[in-house]
Amino acid sequence: MTTVDLTDITTAESGADSGGAVGEPAPLSPEFRHALVSRQERRESSARTYARTLPVAPVHAAGARVTGADGRTYLDCLSGAGTLALGHNHPAVVAALQADLASGVPLHALDMITPQKDAFSEELMSRLPGGLRSDARLHFCGPAGTDAVEAALKLAQHATGRRGIVAFTGAYHGMTLGASAVSGPARMRSMVGADAVPVTRVPYPYAYRCPFGVGAPQSGELSARLLENLITDGSSGVGLPAAVILEVVQGEGGVVEGPDEWLREVRRITAAHDIVLIVDEVQTGVGRTGHFWACERAGVTPDVLVMSKAVGGGLPLAVLAYRPELDTWRPGDHTGTFRGNTLAMTAGRITLRTVAEEELPERSARVGERLRRGLLELALDHAEFGEVRGRGLMNGVELVDPDGTPDRIDSLPAHPAFARALRAACLEKGLMLELGGREDSVLRLLPPLVLTDSEADSVVERIGDALRTVARTRSTAALSLVPGGRAAHATTARPAGGAS
């Protein structure tokens, strides 16, 4: 069996673009990439996801660009599922990490205080929304967002003495049992033990696939009204819950945006009935949606703010911020070994500060609008684009079957086969992105907040090229079904390489 010597992965001294801190790698062979991918397939569990649909073996990255082991360079519209707010290897983050490593600071300190943790906490507190900024309690969790959701649910139950949780359809809150229980997809709720959490589900105001069959803006009004009725009607069958948990913009759910008025109504209802409002900003936080926190646009401050992904600056970190009166825990009620990751605290502090000082939320709003305009232009010529939507640099395209039967509000059925074909064609054009939503039929764009205008235009161009490739492939396939067709003589143009 051939093995890989890491000394083969060399870098040149030429500076990388997009703000990278290290040079470009020397070209490597396609065989090298194939060897890496093949070994991963043999060794790793069948639960891996991104590795299946994006068979890229990254060896170098800077800003919004990733270079694979085969030498191809891709525009990254995934950015670690929203983790890399500043993109790959941001110089300020890399310099701060190198300084920590050279200084001999403890890299692991459980939950003891270090100067790095204190500085991160100070920076985070100064950026929190509303009243949380002045007196929030912070709880450092295990390093994944799902553990922060678990902690938030337990905190609400402990503080209120109640067990029930209200969650929304289409939600994604993580893969551990409690987080799975409050998520929407059936494959998550079917996990053994996920039914231990008593969950009541309320329809999320999803305008394109409105659960009430009325569309926007009535969808949000009806969702809030139903929530209030379930809580106040003694015959609803729903007891007073400990918490309501929601995403301001559902990410894995298909980039579905909750209306501001709906969010304000949910805040009013929960406050009136002493119910803990948990807002999951694992993916929307730290400038992603055009505000530092997505809940800020509606002027809403939650009781518990759940954070991970970008808050650690690309390194594993998850944390809660919550009202001090909820802090009823005893020592050890929710703990974990890796709550004191010094490097993550440093990377997070630099990221939070840079996002604020460089006004990246405002930039996210502007560049995101530029992306959506380009996608809307593509929609004019491609009926499979059912809806283009999003906030800031969190965008999605609902891909539909134009020949399908529309529902009562004229929304067309999902087109998962087309979505998969388009994702694969985008990768061939040098664009890394993923799918989400019902039947995985929403094309999702989560580029770093440092995406340039020219890179945004290139994203749209590559999607356009991918659409034409899919159209040619489908036309060729259709010809092959027609007697006497020209499929045997037709050729499909070789997809352009991903080199930038």
Side-chain angles (χ1 to χ4, degrees):
M1 180 179 69
T2 304
T3 58
V4 176
D5 183 349
L6 292 182
T7 59
D8 291 340
I9 306 176
T10 57
T11 57
E13 292 301 321
S14 58
D17 58 4
S18 299
V22 292
E24 292 288 350
L28 299 167
S29 69
E31 291 76 19
F32 183 80
R33 180 202 64 84
H34 179 72
L36 292 176
V37 172
S38 296
R39 273 192 295 278
Q40 180 187 39
E41 185 174 350
R42 289 198 307 271
R43 293 168 175 167
E44 294 188 22
S45 83
S46 57
R48 66 191 187 284
T49 54
Y50 300 108
R52 293 178 182 275
T53 57
L54 300 171
V56 177
V59 296
H60 179 272
R65 297 176 186 268
V66 172
T67 301
D70 58 1
R72 297 182 67 195
T73 298
Y74 302 82
L75 274 174
D76 185 2
C77 274
L78 185 59
S79 61
T83 298
L84 299 165
L86 301 182
H88 297 273
N89 288 312
H90 189 278
V93 173
V94 171
L97 294 176
Q98 289 173 334
D100 272 359
L101 289 169
S103 72
V105 301
L107 301 183
H108 181 276
L110 296 170
D111 64 358
M112 294 179 285
I113 193 64
T114 62
Q116 290 76 14
K117 186 177 186 180
D118 182 66
F120 169 82
S121 298
E122 186 75 17
E123 188 69 43
L124 178 61
M125 291 285 289
S126 73
R127 308 298 176 194
L128 290 175
L132 289 177
R133 190 172 301 168
S134 59
D135 63 354
R137 293 290 187 272
L138 300 180
H139 179 81
F140 292 89
C141 312
T146 187
D147 188 65
V149 170
E150 294 281 346
L153 298 176
K154 287 169 64 176
L155 176 68
Q157 291 171 328
H158 195 277
T160 63
R162 303 189 291 266
R163 293 188 64 238
I165 306 293
V166 172
F168 287 86
T169 55
Y172 179 89
H173 295 291
M175 296 301 296
T176 48
L177 290 181
S180 291
V182 293
S183 296
R187 64 182 175 83
M188 299 173 67
R189 291 182 288 101
S190 63
M191 294 173 62
V192 175
D195 57 357
V197 180
V199 178
T200 300
R201 298 184 192 283
V202 174
Y204 194 89
Y206 184 178
Y208 189 79
R209 302 201 180 282
C210 179
F212 303 103
V214 295
Q218 297 97 320
S219 184
E221 179 184 343
L222 291 174
S223 175
R225 186 182 301 174
L226 176 58
L227 171 64
E228 188 165 32
N229 182 262
L230 289 172
I231 290 169
T232 58
D233 182 359
S235 296
S236 70
V238 177
L240 190 66
V244 171
I245 185 169
L246 60 84
E247 301 156 277
V248 180
V249 183
Q250 292 188 337
E252 304 296 328
V255 195
V256 182
E257 180 182 2
D260 288 347
E261 186 55 38
W262 165 78
L263 185 58
R264 285 191 283 266
E265 275 295 283
V266 173
R267 173 69 285 187
R268 178 190 66 79
I269 294 163
T270 53
H273 297 280
D274 195 27
I275 299 166
V276 176
L277 177 60
I278 302 170
V279 173
D280 179 346
E281 293 241 20
V282 167
Q283 193 165 97
T284 55
V286 194
R288 169 66 52 188
T289 66
H291 290 76
F292 210 95
W293 308 104
C295 61
E296 289 181 305
R297 195 180 79 175
V300 166
T301 301
D303 300 308
V304 181
L305 184 69
V306 181
M307 297 163 279
S308 187
K309 292 190 186 295
V311 82
L315 296 182
L317 181 64
V319 60
L320 301 181
Y322 53 88
R323 292 189 294 108
E325 52 267 39
L326 296 176
D327 196 26
T328 60
W329 271 340
R330 298 179 301 273
D333 273 356
H334 193 89
T335 187
T337 301
F338 291 101
R339 295 188 294 152
N341 187 327
T342 301
L343 295 181
M345 303 290 178
T346 293
R349 175 179 62 84
I350 297 298
T351 297
L352 292 168
R353 188 187 69 192
T354 302
V355 167
E357 290 181 351
E358 297 188 3
E359 300 182 340
L360 293 185
E362 294 81 358
R363 174 174 180 74
S364 174
R366 182 177 63 78
V367 179
E369 179 61 29
R370 186 185 188 102
L371 266 176
R372 288 189 294 278
R373 284 199 305 269
L375 293 169
L376 286 168
E377 289 181 11
L378 292 178
L380 296 174
D381 297 319
H382 297 279
E384 292 87 357
F385 276 34
E387 183 177 57
V388 174
R389 56 179 180 254
R391 275 206 219 171
L393 285 172
M394 186 174 186
N395 294 290
V397 181
E398 183 104 25
L399 299 171
V400 300
D401 182 357
D403 298 321
T405 302
D407 63 17
R408 62 187 296 175
I409 57 172
D410 292 327
S411 296
L412 291 164
H415 203 337
F418 181 85
R420 291 192 296 271
L422 183 57
R423 174 181 59 193
C426 284
L427 189 64
E428 286 299 315
K429 304 299 179 185
L431 182 61
M432 297 171 62
L433 45 71
E434 257 300 348
L435 305 176
R438 270 55 165 195
E439 301 184 60
D440 274 346
S441 291
V442 176
L443 199 71
R444 299 182 60 212
L445 301 172
L446 286 167
L449 307 189
V450 295
L451 190 78
T452 66
D453 288 357
S454 62
E455 287 172 336
D457 293 342
S458 183
V459 168
V460 175
E461 290 168 7
R462 294 181 196 208
I463 293 174
D465 289 343
L467 284 164
R468 287 184 284 275
T469 294
V470 173
R472 287 196 302 270
T473 302
R474 295 171 75 193
S475 297
T476 301
L479 278 173
S480 68
L481 300 176
V482 179
R486 294 174 295 157
H489 305 288
T491 59
T492 301
R494 187 175 184 275
S500 55

